[in-house]
Amino acid sequence: MRDNSHTVQPGTFDELNSNIVSARQVATLHEQHLFSPNLLNAVGFGFSRAVAIIGKVSSILNPLMNDPSFAFEPGGLAGSVEGVPGLTNFLGAPVPSGFLPSSKSLAWNSFQGSDDVFLTRGIHAVKFGVMVERMQDNQLYTSNANGSYRFNSLRNFLTNVPQTFAGSVSVASPVFGMRQTLFGAYIQDDIRLKKT
């Protein structure tokens, strides 16, 4: 199964269009083998992947977004203004060339394998099996190279007294990754005391 999507989303003030990309792939393989009328083995393998990328700019609708006179930092463009009570957040201009883009990238991989055995002998119907899943989660967050001001009140915004300023660095933020392996095993015996 493959399911990919690409959405173009306008900015808060129709100043630009940004992309939201998502993709999902799933593959499964299942095989059953009958060794005898009383013994069945089922083996399964699977892989799934989900990817999401948010924040890449596809087009600029307002030419002032490329005007360096509105820059918060040298070499940048207008940064974001956030947190003003009663006002909509301004997410800022696109990142100028030479800087890393401000985006979020998420990728999740899952590899699964299982083996189940079904054995019937006399009054016993035994089922047992094992399963293993290897999960990989990767997240990359890059900061806004244009900087970001946060104000905690309208008064502070109007008098230019920010609560915080977050500057940027021109190197990539680290990739946050999680690696996890999950194991499982079971055994079940259904006993019929009387044949039907």
Side-chain angles (χ1 to χ4, degrees), residues 18-177:
S18 61
N19 295 333
I20 299 173
V21 177
S22 64
R24 205 167 44 129
Q25 295 91 32
V26 176
T28 59
L29 180 64
H30 187 77
E31 192 269 335
Q32 292 183 346
H33 186 78
L34 191 61
F35 289 98
S36 73
N38 298 331
L39 180 60
L40 171 70
N41 187 52
V43 179
F45 298 98
F47 171 74
S48 62
R49 177 173 173 80
V51 176
I53 302 171
I54 303 168
K56 292 191 175 181
V57 174
S58 59
S59 61
I60 297 172
L61 305 175
N62 184 340
L64 293 176
M65 297 295 281
N66 284 324
D67 187 342
S69 65
F70 295 109
F72 292 178
E73 295 191 79
L77 298 171
S80 65
V81 178
E82 302 172 4
V84 183
L87 297 181
T88 303
N89 290 339
F90 174 66
L91 300 179
V95 176
S97 61
F99 288 87
L100 291 166
S102 173
S103 62
K104 296 175 184 161
S105 173
L106 311 169
W108 170 268
N109 296 322
S110 173
F111 304 86
Q112 308 103 29
S114 63
D115 189 8
D116 298 287
V117 177
F118 305 90
L119 174 64
T120 305
R121 182 164 293 167
I123 61 171
H124 297 276
V126 180
K127 304 173 195 173
F128 59 92
V130 294
M131 178 278 264
V132 64
E133 180 178 11
R134 177 68 174 169
M135 295 165 276
Q136 302 170 333
D137 181 23
N138 297 310
Q139 301 179 15
L140 173 63
Y141 293 92
T142 55
S143 60
N144 184 348
N146 293 320
S148 175
Y149 279 107
R150 178 169 284 280
F151 297 86
N152 59 1
S153 71
L154 181 59
R155 174 187 211 108
N156 287 350
F157 172 69
L158 294 174
T159 57
N160 196 23
V161 180
Q163 179 183 13
T164 61
F165 176 76
S168 65
V169 292
S170 59
V171 297
S173 298
V175 174
F176 298 97

